[in-house]
Amino acid sequence: MSLTSSDTAARLAARAAAVIPGGVNSGQRRVPGLEDLVIAATSGSTFTDENGRVYTDYHAAFGPPLLGHNDPDVDAAAAAAARSVGLMGVGVTRVEIELAERLVDAVPSLEKVLLTATGSEATFHALRLARTVTGRRYVLKFQGCYHGWHDAVAMNVISPAERVGTKDPLSGGILPEVLAATIVCPFNDADAVERALDEHDGDVAAIILEPIPHNIGAVLPKPGFLERLRELATKHGTVLVYDEVITGFRHGLGGYQEACGVIPDLTTLGKAMANGWPVSALGGKAELMDLFSTTPGRPAFFAGTFNGHPATTAAALATVEKLQRDPVHEHVFRLGDRARAGLTSLYDRLGVPAVVSGFGSVFVTYFLDGLVENYDDLLRNDVEMFIGYRRELMKEGIFELPLNLKRSHFSYAHTDDDVDRLLEGTEAAVTRVLDSRR
Ligand SMILES: Cc1ncc(COP(=O)(O)O)c(C=O)c1O
């Protein structure tokens, strides 16, 4: 029985399943137990389902609505742009210029920047550019990091224990040659990266990473890890790519690179960049970015019908302006700190082994003892508790995605009351799971 069932929702979900494979438009949206979840509306920190149930939303579409759903300033900017200038597919618009200038000012590694619609396109082009400039074959990624759906990186994210240390593609249809050209290392293990670079000496085009692997919750980089990657990349002539599709904007306008001070060669951005509108970006050193075919005759082909769409670009510009104008980061960081502290003492009190992790607005609880430094550690997570308490939480009107290792997010629309309700609701939910196990 679905947690969200009702006649209306079930009928709509059945209509969806009849014409949309699996009934949803992206993998990970059809969640066990939530097969009948049909979203009717969003507003600020909440969403409403087709049964009229309202939830406080911490899933936040995997991260974009940093200002809260339907931010009036961002949405008004997109609507105004849509009324005045449409997609042309030739030349450039004022709003694209203004956004690029803001991004170059804000993000330390950006000397030049290009817009895409999705994060996958941005990481795809980063790796293509790295291969173009180096003429090399391999790219290196980390177990647990996700960089989108394309073949070079669609592997080794949330892998079953027996596939860690082997190639674990997310999809069929990836050529073995492409799988072979991606090296996978454990996160926080710079020695493993050094060994891989030595082994494939002179043939690794790029190292790509989420500086905080948020696709497995929040595994923080150990002190010195990013510095070692920077040194190794420089020494080996390898392009260092930070995939800041999640950490960018959410952890600061300058991304996590601004907070950690270790600057990559290329950066990808997305998700929170336009508060939910589909805009992403790729930027970095001018000497690299100038190799894209946006300069005619240059070797790295780059194109996209919807790139720089005036309405979505205006949404991004309005997001940047609001992040600069309002104390957004101060607010979401404070709520995140409160939640992490409150959850830590809650689990202590309940005697539940837990590691409460996160950064800024992002929080996640792993149910395990000991340190969390890489994906191997997360294999000890009590998955039943992780998913179980989140299902119970829905009965409290609170939504954290009930899938293993998924993180939760605060937005500017969340309040201190929400933190109080989160702590109370979590206590009730966890207690019910514990009781059901006795
Ligand atoms: C870190 C990271 N990079 C890239 C992507 C791909 O972005 P998109 O889904 O917009 O293609 C994602 C999406 O979840 C992501 O989390």
Side-chain angles (χ1 to χ4, degrees), residues 62 117-121 123 146-149 210 215 243 245-246 271 280 407:
F62 294 101
T118 68
S120 297
E121 293 165 84
T123 60
Y146 176 67
H147 305 294
W149 41 251
E210 295 177 71
N215 277 285
D243 180 355
V245 162
I246 296 174
K271 291 205 194 285
S280 300
R407 67 196 175 276

Side-chain angles (χ1 to χ4, degrees), residues 372-405:
V372 171
E373 292 187 342
N374 60 37
Y375 184 75
D376 281 344
D377 297 325
L378 299 183
L379 295 171
R380 303 197 310 276
N381 184 38
D382 179 345
V383 180
E384 196 184 277
M385 174 59 96
F386 192 97
I387 293 174
Y389 97 86
R390 290 171 177 224
R391 289 190 176 168
E392 289 297 322
L393 209 47
M394 287 185 72
K395 298 177 189 159
E396 309 289 323
I398 298 172
F399 192 78
E400 294 189 63
L401 190 66
L403 281 180
N404 193 30
L405 302 184

Side-chain angles (χ1 to χ4, degrees), residues 187-367:
F187 192 75
N188 270 331
D189 188 347
D191 291 341
V193 174
E194 183 161 24
R195 281 195 301 276
L197 291 173
D198 286 341
E199 192 184 325
H200 302 281
D201 194 22
D203 212 8
V204 180
I207 298 172
I208 185 167
L209 69 150
E210 295 177 71
I212 301 176
H214 277 312
N215 277 285
I216 46 172
V219 176
L220 300 179
K222 282 199 293 195
F225 175 65
L226 297 175
E227 286 82 351
R228 280 277 310 279
L229 290 187
R230 179 63 279 178
E231 280 165 28
L232 288 168
T234 304
K235 177 174 161 211
H236 287 265
T238 297
V239 178
L240 183 62
V241 184
Y242 280 3
D243 180 355
E244 296 229 45
V245 162
I246 296 174
T247 54
F249 297 87
R250 186 162 276 285
H251 293 347
L253 198 51
Y256 186 69
Q257 59 196 259
E258 189 178 36
C260 73
V262 182
I263 310 303
D265 302 305
L266 294 176
T267 299
T268 55
L269 300 162
K271 291 205 194 285
M273 180 170 176
N275 204 54
W277 293 83
V279 185
S280 300
L282 158 68
K285 291 192 171 144
E287 59 182 304
L288 300 178
M289 295 298 293
D290 280 335
L291 294 177
F292 277 120
S293 65
T294 42
T295 305
R298 298 287 162 85
F301 184 71
F302 181 89
T305 300
F306 298 114
N307 291 358
H309 190 294
T312 57
T313 307
L317 186 57
T319 303
V320 173
E321 280 169 359
K322 191 148 182 173
L323 293 177
Q324 286 176 328
R325 191 175 67 234
D326 284 17
V328 176
H329 289 107
E330 196 187 314
H331 180 80
V332 296
F333 273 54
R334 193 176 61 72
L335 297 188
D337 285 344
R338 264 201 70 202
R340 283 184 292 273
L343 291 169
T344 304
S345 60
L346 168 66
Y347 291 118
D348 272 359
R349 190 154 47 74
L350 295 177
V352 174
V355 173
V356 179
S357 186
F359 185 90
S361 60
V362 171
F363 65 98
V364 65
T365 303
Y366 303 116
F367 295 96

Side-chain angles (χ1 to χ4, degrees), residues 346 350 392-393 396 423-433:
L346 168 66
L350 295 177
E392 289 297 322
L393 209 47
E396 309 289 323
L423 295 175
E424 286 159 20
T426 305
E427 175 155 7
V430 170
T431 305
R432 285 204 292 274
V433 176

